[in-house]
């Protein structure tokens, strides 16, 4: 597979929906596209976005989702459409969707993933020494990311999974994924990509656990609601631990003082979505009674980001694209601490495109308050054997 095309990135800030989609199309369109991927502000008219995407990209697989903010060529943004196109010269893609997430059955998800793998194998049969990865975009209010990501990765085997949960700019009303020419809720879209290009999956997190332990003593796991912590009303006990009044709990409080669960030597953020009127806390991630959480504190976010990007630059070379799935609470923390310019400089230097999420998926695990993604390098130079 010779590299003839390139990954193209584009973004539109046009306020008119049709104009925004047309500008996006003009920026990413190229000959023989394997896939178009876009991230769309919920301020745009979904029906018009769907119509224009289908009209402008006939015969091309196009997938996308709604956001809580976009990441594009200029950095962090809102009220925009951003995304990329992948050339057939370097990528083979197969797209599939899973509906009715509320009735999710792991066995059916695994069967679906096996069918998609078979399709990829057949479609990529002419590729020499390919490797690949899976992209997952899912309804961010479905509360089904954990079993979905786990079942997919179990069936995909060595093909690593990366993804993000669709968002709706903190309205917490409806989130959508786009496939087959229209937007869907209670659904997920899965893309398997094969490429000879070098790539690197990553999960970046700058929080470390403290010794302060909080035990979930009453919960509603199906709805990710914690009713009691340490035998006391959850919001009250959490507020006491971070030194504020319950009435002062806001998304910024949750961003600055997250809770983590420690498994082995790895910590995973269990981010709080909201404090509720009944004294409970709603989380972005799975919780259960008996779960031991620890209060975490952040290390230098910018330094952590620089080191992480430097590491995969050293491994695969300067990336022509970094797909980034960035948690909404991480985004809030960056703004709260005045780090936007420093983070955006890193994003621009590494060709980051992506969106602000309600959760991230990394190799079958649903996580929060992280930046997950995949860095894709340029084509390796051909060796002259003459």
């Amino acid at each position: 597979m010779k590299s003839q095309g390139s990954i193209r990135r584009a973004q539109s800030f046009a306020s008119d929906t049709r104009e925004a989609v047309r500008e996006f199309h003009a920026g990413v369109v190229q000959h023989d596209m394997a896939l178009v991927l876009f991230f769309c502000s919920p301020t745009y008219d979904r029906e018009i976005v769907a119509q224009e995407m289908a009209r402008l990209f006939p015969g091309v697989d196009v997938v996308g989702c709604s956001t809580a903010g976009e990441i594009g060529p200029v950095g962090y943004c809102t009220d925009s459409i951003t995304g990329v196109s992948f050339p057939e010269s370097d990528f083979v893609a197969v797209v599939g969707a899973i509906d009715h997430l509320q009735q999710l059955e792991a066995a059916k998800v695994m069967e679906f993933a096996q069918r998609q793998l078979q399709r990829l194998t057949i479609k990529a049969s002419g590729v020499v020494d390919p490797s690949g990865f899976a992209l997952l975009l899912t309804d961010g209010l479905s509360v089904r990311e954990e079993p979905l990501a786990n079942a997919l990765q179990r069936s995909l085997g060595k093909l690593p999974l990366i993804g993000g949960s669709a968002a709706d700019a903190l309205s917490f009303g409806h989130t959508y994924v786009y496939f087959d020419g229209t937007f869907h809720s209670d659904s997920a879209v899965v893309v398997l990509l094969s490429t000879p290009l070098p790539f690197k999956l990553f999960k970046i997190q700058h929080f470390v656990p403290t010794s302060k332990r909080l035990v979930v003593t009453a919960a509603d796991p199906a709805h990710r609601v914690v009713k009691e912590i340490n035998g006391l009303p959850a919001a009250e006990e959490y507020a006491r631990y971070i030194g504020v009044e319950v009435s002062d709990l806001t998304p910024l409080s949750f961003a600055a003082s997250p809770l983590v669960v420690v498994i082995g030597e790895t910590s995973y953020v269990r981010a709080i979505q909201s404090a509720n009127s009944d004294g409970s806390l709603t989380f972005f991630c799975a919780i259960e009674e008996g779960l031991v959480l620890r209060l975490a504190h952040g290390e230098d976010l910018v330094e952590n980001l620089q080191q992480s990007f430097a590491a995969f630059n050293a491994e695969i070379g300067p990336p022509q694209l970094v797909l980034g799935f960035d948690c909404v609470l991480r985004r809030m923390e960056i703004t709260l601490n005045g780090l936007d310019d420093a983070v955006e400089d890193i994003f621009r230097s590494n060709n980051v495109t992506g969106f602000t999420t309600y959760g991230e998926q990394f190799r079958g695990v649903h996580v929060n308050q992280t930046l997950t993604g995949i860095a894709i390098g340029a084509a390796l130079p051909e060796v002259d054997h003459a």
Side-chain angles (χ1 to χ4, degrees):
M1 179 185 288
K2 293 183 179 179
S3 179
Q4 297 171 343
S6 62
I7 299 172
R8 294 189 181 178
R9 304 190 301 144
Q11 187 166 28
S12 174
F13 297 92
S15 57
D16 178 79
T17 302
R18 282 190 172 83
E19 182 181 354
V21 180
R22 291 169 185 169
E23 288 183 357
F24 170 73
H25 169 265
V28 301
V29 67
Q30 58 180 308
H31 182 64
D32 292 336
M33 291 173 284
L35 177 74
V36 171
L37 175 64
F38 75 90
F39 310 110
C40 177
S41 167
T43 58
Y44 289 115
D45 186 308
R46 289 192 311 280
E47 294 301 319
I48 294 176
V49 171
Q51 293 167 9
E52 289 296 288
M53 287 289 179
R55 183 182 70 84
L56 293 169
F57 295 101
V60 179
D61 282 324
V62 181
V63 301
C65 69
S66 59
T67 75
E70 303 79 53
I71 305 170
V74 300
Y76 280 125
C77 310
T78 56
D79 302 330
S80 74
I81 296 177
T82 188
V84 301
S85 68
F86 297 88
E88 286 186 345
S89 58
D90 280 328
F91 294 88
V92 176
V94 296
V95 175
I98 301 171
D99 291 315
H100 308 299
L101 294 181
Q102 298 310 305
Q103 287 79 50
L104 186 73
E105 295 181 27
K108 290 184 178 180
V109 173
M110 294 177 73
E111 290 173 2
F112 161 84
Q114 284 295 318
R115 291 194 302 271
Q116 295 303 99
L117 277 174
Q118 291 171 1
R119 288 181 58 204
L120 183 67
T121 299
I122 294 169
K123 195 172 181 180
S125 60
V127 178
V128 178
D129 297 328
S131 60
F133 55 91
L135 294 176
L136 172 65
L137 299 177
T138 184
D139 181 341
L141 297 177
S142 67
V143 198
R144 304 300 289 158
E145 292 100 326
E146 285 90 359
L148 174 62
N150 179 267
L152 284 170
Q153 187 63 82
R154 285 168 59 195
S155 193
L156 291 171
K158 294 181 179 179
L159 200 75
L161 178 76
I162 197 76
S165 301
D168 64 348
L170 292 179
S171 295
F172 298 113
H174 300 280
T175 62
Y176 299 90
V177 295
Y178 176 94
F179 58 89
D180 287 343
T182 189
F183 283 93
H184 305 255
S185 59
D186 197 32
S187 301
V189 59
V190 182
V191 182
L192 306 189
L193 285 151
S194 173
T195 180
L197 299 178
F199 62 84
K200 176 69 175 179
L201 270 72
F202 61 85
K203 177 175 75 72
I204 299 173
Q205 175 183 306
H206 66 291
F207 288 104
V208 295
T210 69
S211 60
K212 295 182 178 179
R213 295 157 60 92
L214 299 86
V215 180
V216 176
T217 49
D220 177 2
H223 297 95
R224 295 177 178 166
V225 173
V226 172
K227 299 177 180 180
E228 292 183 1
I229 291 174
N230 299 338
L232 297 170
E236 176 185 319
E237 185 70 345
Y238 171 75
R240 183 180 72 83
Y241 265 73
I242 68 172
V244 302
E245 298 295 324
V246 172
S247 58
D248 293 328
L249 290 177
T250 67
L252 292 177
S253 308
F254 309 142
S257 303
L259 299 173
V260 302
V261 58
V262 179
I263 302 174
E265 297 182 356
T266 304
S267 60
Y268 299 93
V269 176
R270 290 292 181 260
I272 300 171
Q273 176 182 315
S274 62
N276 307 316
S277 58
D278 62 358
S280 65
L281 295 171
T282 298
F283 281 66
F284 277 112
C285 229
I287 52 83
E288 59 186 10
E289 290 185 11
L291 187 67
V292 178
L293 299 167
R294 294 188 186 182
L295 195 65
H297 70 85
E299 298 182 324
D300 190 312
L301 185 150
V302 173
E303 182 179 355
N304 173 258
L305 191 62
Q306 288 172 330
Q307 291 175 349
S308 299
F309 275 58
F312 63 66
N313 268 263
E315 183 171 340
I316 68 168
Q320 60 171 313
L321 172 71
V322 173
L323 275 179
F325 307 108
D326 196 33
C327 183
V328 65
L329 292 179
R330 180 181 170 93
R331 175 73 180 92
M332 287 181 184
E333 181 191 1
I334 287 168
T335 297
L336 179 66
N337 293 321
L339 302 176
D340 293 74
D341 290 345
V343 171
E344 287 175 338
D345 283 345
I346 298 171
F347 282 176
R348 285 191 292 266
S349 298
N350 290 275
N351 297 323
V352 179
T353 293
F355 76 103
T356 302
T357 76
Y358 281 174
E360 306 80 60
Q361 292 82 50
F362 181 78
R363 296 183 181 274
V365 179
H366 178 57
V367 292
N368 292 139
Q369 216 152 339
T370 62
L371 171 64
T372 66
I374 184 164
I376 303 173
L380 296 173
E382 294 187 11
V383 178
D384 186 358
H385 296 287

